Amino acid sequence: MDFCVPYYIVEELVDYIELTAQGHCKCMKWENIKALLRLAKANNRLSNEQVEFIIKKYNRK
């Protein structure tokens, strides 16, 4: 699936992935990412399908 993700979300995803790869549990970081995704959806920057794709792809809980 190809689509443009706002840079501020990409930055948070990269940070989250790096922290979880080091063995750190960052539940609040993931909650912040989900909040950013909901805001991007509300502002028509992402569709519901795109948000769901990102959540399924990058959730490490």
Side-chain angles (χ1 to χ4, degrees):
M1 180 180 267
D2 270 349
F3 55 91
C4 293
V5 178
Y7 187 70
Y8 58 92
I9 294 175
V10 172
E11 285 182 321
E12 292 298 317
L13 282 170
V14 168
D15 191 35
Y16 172 74
I17 291 168
E18 287 176 347
L19 289 171
T20 56
Q22 296 171 2
H24 301 284
C25 178
K26 293 295 177 184
C27 298
M28 289 306 297
K29 176 68 107 175
W30 182 246
E31 292 302 317
N32 289 341
I33 291 169
K34 289 195 314 187
L36 290 173
L37 291 169
R38 287 191 301 270
L39 286 172
K41 185 174 88 172
N43 290 321
N44 295 318
R45 300 282 310 270
L46 294 172
S47 70
N48 191 48
E49 294 80 21
Q50 292 167 331
V51 169
E52 291 300 317
F53 175 80
I54 292 170
I55 289 172
K56 288 178 184 173
K57 178 86 173 168
Y58 296 105
N59 185 5
R60 298 192 178 225
K61 286 189 200 178

